[in-house]
Amino acid sequence: MNKYLDIAPEVKKALDEGKPVVALESTIISHGMPYPRNVETALMVEQMVRDNGAVPATIAIIGGRLKAGLSHEEIEYLGKTGRGVTKASRRDLPALIARGADGATTVTTTMIIAHMAGIKIFATGGIGGVHRGAETTMDISADLQELAQTPVMVVCAGAKSILDLGLTLEYLETHGVPVIGYGTEELPAFYTRKSGFGVDYRVDSEAELAAMFRAQRELEYKGGMLVTNPIPEEYAMDKAVIDAAIEEALRQCAEAGVKGKESTPFLLAKVVELTGGNSLESNIKLVLNNAALAARTACELAK
Ligand code: PSU
Ligand code: MN
């Protein structure tokens, strides 16, 4: 086991016994939602994983230790400290470890730590991707590169159209990352079920998701797989409302000159502000939906 890694006893026991485990990220807690809804959501998501037969392992860096499985106190701390916790991507782990610091893990670092721990599947809300205007800024989330090199199945609700979804799919294609639609032929756009872009494969059962992941492992590919799960119809947002909020958030981001790792958290917070909290409710529902699908798929994988 990696010397910097701590696996919580319950998670360790499940992994040793070949039982299903689902990893969960912590940037969504510290940087993706306001306190205290972030903490409430993180705990509900863990419960949803349990209700669907798997053990949750929320991942973060605490005091320079890579943690797979957090206590409720640790989740409360990450949520309350919010943006005061470093948003930790791949490049940040060496410094955080060396300094004994804390970090909230993005999709990238959650995949890295999940894989170190032996966890195969991870549920979140949305992934990072190719930003609009990336042809000049080169702002492409490290999440895409991680999907290309770390063998973890990531279950999400697609990506927000704060990103260029077409370029995001092109990037994933180049790097050989399969993009699967659960019960859909179309890439979901997080708050809405459709984006106008097709996925590579539509899959309608957890058993088939597990079979594809197993085949990918047996091919000895180094990368992972992206499963996109549309938000349940009843919680989806009106496309015109969310599109207007995203355009306005992008405008304010450019006007404020926000760049680099700050841009995604800035855009996420602005969208919530501009939609009067409606988008936060949708966000919570879709994360719960993804946690349930990931847990059911983890059960299939454990068979
Ligand atoms: N997109 C969301 N919600 C999130 C994130 C992205 O809809 O919480 C977070 C995830 O942790 C993701 C990270 O891995 O932002 C991507 O940040 P960046 O674009 O800076 O790579
Ligand atoms: Mn970026």
Side-chain angles (χ1 to χ4, degrees), residues 9 16 30 32 34 90 104 113 137 152 158 195 209 211 213 228 263 292:
D16 288 346
S30 296
R90 176 175 267 270
I113 297 169
T137 62
V152 171
S195 65
L209 291 178
F213 188 73
T228 63
S263 67

Side-chain angles (χ1 to χ4, degrees), residues 31-34 83 160 162 191 241-242 244-256 258 262-280:
H31 298 259
M33 288 183 191
R83 287 164 80 168
K160 293 191 171 91
I162 56 172
Y191 299 114
V241 170
I242 196 67
I246 285 172
E247 291 302 333
E248 177 59 18
L250 285 163
R251 200 192 58 73
Q252 291 190 25
C253 188
E255 192 181 77
V258 177
E262 290 313 321
S263 67
T264 297
F266 179 93
L267 290 166
L268 299 180
K270 273 291 165 216
V271 169
V272 172
E273 198 183 300
L274 291 163
T275 54
N278 283 346
S279 66
L280 179 60

Side-chain angles (χ1 to χ4, degrees), residues 32-289:
M33 288 183 191
Y35 181 80
R37 297 303 299 281
N38 55 1
V39 172
E40 282 165 35
T41 303
L43 298 178
M44 281 196 301
V45 169
E46 287 204 340
Q47 190 57 45
M48 184 62 104
V49 169
R50 290 185 196 284
D51 292 347
N52 286 275
V55 171
T58 302
I59 289 180
I61 302 124
I62 308 271
R65 302 291 303 169
L66 310 179
K67 299 274 184 190
L70 299 182
S71 66
H72 288 192
E73 292 69 33
E74 286 167 329
I75 289 176
E76 170 72 24
Y77 162 73
L78 291 170
K80 201 164 195 175
T81 313
R83 287 164 80 168
V85 181
T86 299
K87 176 181 158 195
S89 192
R90 176 175 267 270
R91 64 171 178 188
D92 303 299
L93 293 189
L96 294 174
I97 290 170
R99 293 178 172 177
D102 302 328
T105 53
T106 61
V107 168
T108 297
T109 40
T110 305
M111 288 180 77
I112 294 172
I113 297 169
H115 179 55
M116 267 182 193
I119 303 169
K120 300 185 184 77
I121 178 159
F122 156 31
T124 187
I127 59 158
V130 179
H131 281 259
R132 297 204 206 169
E135 56 275 25
T136 50
T137 62
M138 289 184 73
D139 191 353
I140 299 174
S141 175
D143 294 353
L144 302 184
Q145 200 52 43
E146 207 58 49
L147 279 160
Q149 63 181 319
T150 301
V152 171
M153 178 191 281
V154 178
V155 179
C156 68
K160 293 191 171 91
S161 56
I162 56 172
L163 303 171
D164 187 320
L165 300 183
L167 291 187
T168 300
L169 288 174
E170 290 294 345
Y171 194 96
L172 290 169
E173 181 195 1
T174 300
H175 291 277
V177 178
V179 179
I180 295 160
Y182 179 75
T184 181
E185 263 116 54
E186 229 181 272
L187 178 76
F190 198 89
Y191 299 114
T192 55
R193 293 173 60 85
K194 290 189 178 293
S195 65
F197 295 97
V199 294
D200 304 330
Y201 295 94
R202 172 183 177 148
V203 169
D204 290 282
S205 74
E206 290 75 350
E208 194 180 12
L209 291 178
M212 284 189 178
F213 188 73
R214 258 187 230 115
Q216 194 189 35
R217 299 284 62 77
E218 282 157 10
L219 286 166
E220 298 180 20
Y221 282 11
K222 65 188 169 109
M225 191 171 275
L226 188 65
V227 176
T228 63
N229 184 28
I231 184 171
E233 188 75 64
E234 62 269 40
Y235 305 122
M237 292 189 71
D238 184 83
K239 185 172 167 1
V241 170
I242 196 67
D243 284 354
I246 285 172
E247 291 302 333
E248 177 59 18
L250 285 163
R251 200 192 58 73
Q252 291 190 25
C253 188
E255 192 181 77
V258 177
K259 289 195 184 73
K261 70 186 287 190
E262 290 313 321
S263 67
T264 297
F266 179 93
L267 290 166
L268 299 180
K270 273 291 165 216
V271 169
V272 172
E273 198 183 300
L274 291 163
T275 54
N278 283 346
S279 66
L280 179 60
E281 298 310 317
S282 295
N283 196 344
I284 293 169
K285 297 296 190 196
L286 67 83
V287 177
L288 288 167
N289 189 47

